[in-house]
Amino acid sequence: MLIGANWKMHKTVHESVDFFRALAADILLDLDVEVFICVPFTALWALSQASAAAGGWPIALGAQNVFWEDEGPYTGEVSPVMLRDSGCKYAIVGHSERRQKFSETAAHTAKKVAALLRNRVRPVLCIGETWEEKAKGITEQVLVRQLEPVFPMLRTEDLPECVFAYEPVWAIGTGRRASACQAAEAHRFIRLLLHDRFGVEAGERAKILYGGSVTEKNLSELLEIDELDGVFVGGASLEVQSFSTIIRRCAQRGTEGS
Ligand code: PEP
């Protein structure tokens, strides 16, 4: 299981370091899961340093965005080289908030994914339909529209490094999680697209996470889905207690072999 967190625009540097320290103390037990947290850019280097000083916390660092060039005259942007240099292992691409509020297009996300892979940072590509698109019954078309421009950027050997987060836009921050059945259907469809494009073996090696109003209270049903490789958590990752409960529950699922 891979468990990711998206802090969005929350937490100062000190709050971030305190959180990682507390979470690391809580999950130090040998849990068989991988955890990453996508923090604000400002906290990346401090977290890297604090982790190294503590002997390495079992929490990978992620960023919430990236630019597609390695360097140059792009005021205000952060490059994949800089992310890697700051200790980043993951970076979110194409979050619906960036698509909707910052006009990020599928062509932009494709270039960002390529830039991350080139720099050995794992892309966490967020895809998912709006409520209107779901109501029209075009979820699958939307997923294809979001994925197709990215596929030419991927080589078969990149698939184990790729994380796809199915995040229905209507579920993000709304408290309305997709049902297990809806999530399973979307995950199956995404997996099928990967099989078709890259072959079954490579397609199986990418991770597909569900994100959108996941909490420690509504996790059980989701964990029963075979198609789920993990979860991507926003609001419920901001408190150590709720996020560590989610991590433990996911780890239990792993040991139950479901
Ligand atoms: C997100 O924004 O990626 C997310 C999953 O948010 P939330 O869990 O708060 O719905």
Side-chain angles (χ1 to χ4, degrees), residues 17-242:
V17 172
D18 287 349
F19 183 104
F20 269 60
R21 188 173 290 123
L23 184 66
D26 214 44
I27 61 169
L28 264 182
L29 316 166
D30 204 11
L31 296 180
D32 190 21
V33 289
E34 199 175 324
V35 179
F36 67 94
I37 303 183
C38 299
V39 304
F41 289 133
T42 45
L44 284 173
W45 180 240
L47 285 166
S48 265
Q49 295 290 98
S51 176
W57 289 326
I59 308 162
L61 270 179
Q64 299 173 19
N65 189 21
V66 65
F67 191 59
W68 52 78
E69 296 292 347
D70 288 353
E71 64 175 353
Y74 303 102
T75 302
E77 294 295 331
V78 175
S79 84
V81 174
M82 293 165 183
L83 292 188
R84 175 92 198 157
D85 183 51
S86 303
C88 251
K89 300 267 189 300
Y90 293 82
I92 301 173
V93 171
H95 192 280
S96 64
E97 286 155 14
R98 298 227 48 100
R99 293 183 198 258
Q100 292 187 330
K101 298 177 186 168
F102 300 94
S103 310
E104 189 162 313
T105 65
H108 294 149
T109 63
K111 290 202 270 188
K112 291 179 179 196
V113 166
L116 288 170
L117 289 169
R118 185 170 76 232
N119 286 284
R120 286 167 291 119
V121 178
R122 298 183 76 183
V124 182
L125 177 66
C126 298
I127 50 177
E129 80 288 359
T130 63
W131 184 256
E132 291 72 26
E133 290 163 340
K134 175 178 154 56
K136 280 190 204 153
I138 57 167
T139 297
E140 293 187 351
Q141 281 105 302
V142 172
L143 296 176
V144 168
R145 198 175 68 215
Q146 292 171 336
L147 284 170
E148 275 297 330
V150 175
F151 282 167
M153 306 295 173
L154 305 180
R155 299 164 307 165
T156 304
E157 59 266 36
D158 292 324
L159 270 287
E161 301 308 317
C162 291
V163 181
F164 297 90
Y166 170 60
E167 298 210 304
V169 180
W170 49 270
I172 293 179
T174 59
R176 260 194 305 177
R177 176 176 65 61
S179 70
C181 186
Q182 288 164 336
E185 227 171 81
H187 281 221
R188 260 197 305 276
F189 182 69
I190 295 165
R191 188 71 75 190
L192 209 65
L193 292 176
L194 294 173
H195 288 176
D196 279 354
R197 180 79 185 210
F198 302 100
V200 173
E201 201 185 323
E204 280 299 307
R205 300 190 69 190
K207 296 276 191 199
I208 307 179
L209 313 184
Y210 169 81
S213 291
V214 171
T215 68
E216 72 276 29
K217 295 195 182 77
N218 68 18
L219 191 61
S220 314
E221 195 202 11
L222 270 182
L223 291 180
E224 284 167 20
I225 309 176
D226 282 342
E227 291 81 358
L228 190 89
D229 295 324
V231 288
F232 199 40
V233 188
S237 71
L238 291 170
E239 298 291 333
V240 172
Q241 200 47 53
S242 52

